[in-house]
Amino acid sequence: MTKEELRRKVQLELSRRRQRAITLAEDNKAIAYHKIPRLLVLDNLSIDIGIQLARLGAAGGHLEEREEQKRLLDEVAKERRALLVEANFAPDFLEPRYNCPNCKDVGRTPQGICSCVTLLTQKLRRDEINARFPLSMCSFENFSLLHYKEEIDPAFGISAREQMTEVLERCKRYAAEFRKSSPNLYLFGETGIGKTHLALSIASEVLKKQFNVVYVSSQNIFFAMQQDRAEAANIIETLLAADLLILDDLGTELVNAYVISTLYNIVDTRMGRKRPTIYTTNIIDEALLTARYTEKISSRLLGSCEMYRLLGDDIRLQS
């Protein structure tokens, strides 16, 4: 989802919330007016007084008359509340119950953009990630170390289970201590050994802290940008602006000059902004990484990341 698409979704949801609150208030008014006919009289009187106050204010002066109108408005409000309470309604039964009382679901306050917009944006981003790869399926709790052998791997002098136990703990610690200045991570290893699972487990925990997390598949995102160059700038800005970007399966995309240039822009810009990125890849050889993406990109990737080497066999092939 591009930044503009996300903005439109936020505005649409705010409009829906506001309309729901107003509609419910109108329904409540119908109920209350039927039970307490005097309420309708008082509400019409409040409208008339409000109009009169506006006219007096526009004309200037008339201080005594304006104070008298305000006194009448207060009396109407007191009688209104008393009638509602007497009939076992809440004092605010007739008022719209906005999801956000600060901005009344319009998204702005006199001070600027309301905090509810940020929270809603993060929720929609989480929903987007869930749609691509359900976060409920990927958590630290359901990451099973039983998939990894206990026998020592002679090439590494350590068992896959021991190595993955350490990697799991480091990922948990990273998520628990996450902040906008956290380091980049580079999760690399053979196919199907849990890189995406761990990356999404981190995403799930970081989202709970109300950070803006963007998860993308390298293959899908570069394909999408090349298919719609007009929208590519918005997509790139979404990736650059994320508090945490997860670029999954680096190495699966079709490489060409455009991909090389765009990847360099993402890596270099996020480094400059000190925004953390998690890269996952099946590329385990530095020479292959350099041959595929150029030395300029590989040096920035490897030089800016904490390297997490994953060991094990493809979990999807295990019975």
Side-chain angles (χ1 to χ4, degrees), residues 296-309:
K296 191 191 305 190
I297 291 178
S298 66
S299 64
R300 275 168 168 71
L301 276 174
L302 301 181
S304 67
C305 294
E306 291 186 1
M307 311 293 287
Y308 289 16
R309 176 65 153 99

Side-chain angles (χ1 to χ4, degrees), residues 14 17 58 103 136 140 164 182 193 199 238 273 288 298 306:
L14 287 174
R17 289 178 177 182
C103 69
S136 59
F140 291 127
M164 293 305 294
S182 287
I193 58 175
T238 297
R273 295 182 182 180
L288 291 176
S298 66
E306 291 186 1

Side-chain angles (χ1 to χ4, degrees), residues 1-12:
M1 191 189 316
T2 66
K3 188 175 182 180
E4 179 59 23
E5 288 172 336
L6 187 59
R7 186 193 67 79
R8 288 197 295 265
K9 275 200 167 188
V10 168
Q11 290 302 316
L12 179 59

Side-chain angles (χ1 to χ4, degrees), residues 27-37 39 84 89 93-94:
D27 291 343
N28 288 346
K29 281 183 180 180
I31 295 170
Y33 289 165
H34 179 74
K35 188 172 183 179
I36 315 168
L39 282 176
L84 286 168
F89 291 119
F93 182 69
L94 304 185

Side-chain angles (χ1 to χ4, degrees), residues 71-90:
R71 186 188 64 77
L72 289 174
L73 195 61
D74 287 341
E75 288 184 1
V76 169
K78 288 177 183 178
E79 183 181 354
R80 189 173 183 265
R81 284 194 297 271
L83 288 172
L84 286 168
V85 171
E86 185 180 347
N88 294 319
F89 291 119

Side-chain angles (χ1 to χ4, degrees), residues 1 138 178 216:
M1 191 189 316
C138 293
F178 182 84
V216 290

